[in-house]
Amino acid sequence: MVDPLPHGGMIRKIWIGEAELYRDHLLRLDAVSRRSRFGGAVSDEFVDGYADLALGIGAVIHGFFLAGALRGAAELKPIGPPLGREAEAAFSIEKPWQSHGVGSALLERTLLAARNRGIKFLHMACLADNKRMLDLARKFDAELSFDFASVVGEVTAPRPTPLSLLREILADGHGFATAMFDVQARLLRPV
Ligand SMILES: CC(C)(COP(=O)(O)OP(=O)(O)OC[C@H]1O[C@@H](n2cnc3c(N)ncnc32)[C@H](O)[C@@H]1OP(=O)(O)O)[C@@H](O)C(=O)NCCC(=O)NCCS
């Protein structure tokens, strides 16, 4: 179980139509965090365009909200061929909220979403030289076994179960029909 969130904070998915929230959050990252998040220095214009694209079809983004503001986010983005079983995960926590357990909570929810979508291999963006991200990933070694040299994690038991689906549905806090729509048909394909 991960650390509790900072008081008053909550995690929920970010939906299409909330790109502005995501963009503003990414633009608020300090220079070091922005570099770590994107694997290099990127301009405001790049971040601006990125937020719109990121919320495209197939990506699941969980956000950490405090007093209505988005202060952290975790992206789960399918990569490779359609219906492939690989995805990339990337995390961004604004500086004042780092080291308060937010990354851990976001990774837990991202792993649940990956499992429910049959993702077997998770590429952790910028993991190789990011000690914090490495330490964070290591906390989840029961659910994500890592070949740290290749920065690709293997999701343990990458199959949805009634319980794992229920956990995501309850966490989303909305109805079953909506959740099934979100989880998509690919969930039901044979693994
Ligand atoms: C890397 C990042 C996602 C971690 O999230 P976080 O909310 O700061 O991490 P947590 O508070 O959940 O801590 C997770 C673990 O990381 C390690 N950690 C966290 N802060 C640390 C610090 N200041 N120094 C060393 N280790 C640290 C600890 O091992 C910690 O485990 P513990 O709480 O049991 O001690 C966050 O710091 C961040 O967004 N950084 C900038 C962008 C980035 O690097 N993204 C990752 C690449 S895409």
Side-chain angles (χ1 to χ4, degrees):
M1 208 21 88
V2 296
D3 317 313
L5 286 171
H7 183 70
M10 57 103 69
I11 286 179
R12 70 161 174 85
K13 283 180 185 150
I14 303 174
W15 304 103
I16 289 178
E18 295 186 308
E20 204 174 322
L21 279 182
Y22 191 36
R23 184 188 60 226
D24 291 348
H25 154 67
L26 291 173
L27 285 170
R28 280 194 298 268
L29 292 175
D30 63 284
V32 173
S33 298
R34 188 192 286 196
R35 198 175 311 118
S36 300
R37 167 60 183 79
F38 289 100
V42 294
S43 66
D44 285 357
E45 290 69 32
F46 175 90
V47 174
D48 212 16
Y50 179 88
D52 284 330
L53 283 178
L55 279 153
I57 293 167
V60 178
I61 306 182
H62 284 98
F64 164 69
F65 289 84
L66 195 66
L70 179 62
R71 298 299 182 185
E75 265 184 58
L76 177 71
K77 219 170 16 190
I79 52 174
L83 301 186
R85 302 184 64 197
E86 298 192 26
E88 184 183 81
F91 296 80
S92 51
I93 322 290
E94 290 175 33
K95 184 98 178 151
W97 289 275
Q98 290 177 9
S99 307
H100 287 87
V102 176
S104 305
L106 285 171
L107 179 53
E108 186 184 41
R109 293 284 286 271
T110 301
L111 281 173
L112 179 63
R115 183 178 182 191
N116 281 343
R117 285 154 186 77
I119 301 292
K120 188 162 172 58
F121 296 105
L122 201 56
H123 298 245
M124 303 292 278
C126 356
L127 190 60
D129 57 353
N130 189 331
K131 175 165 178 342
R132 262 190 186 180
M133 199 59 225
L134 275 166
D135 289 343
L136 174 52
R138 281 202 180 97
K139 282 175 73 173
F140 288 82
D141 61 352
E143 293 167 71
L144 189 67
S145 65
F146 258 100
D147 172 357
F148 281 97
S150 71
V151 305
V152 179
E154 189 170 345
V155 180
T156 312
R159 285 179 182 77
T161 63
L163 188 60
S164 71
L165 285 172
L166 187 64
R167 279 176 61 206
E168 184 166 346
I169 290 164
L170 290 177
D172 284 349
H174 53 53
F176 182 74
T178 317
M180 284 311 289
F181 177 74
D182 167 55
V183 170
Q184 300 174 359
R186 51 180 282 156
L187 170 75
L188 301 172
R189 75 183 189 279
V191 288

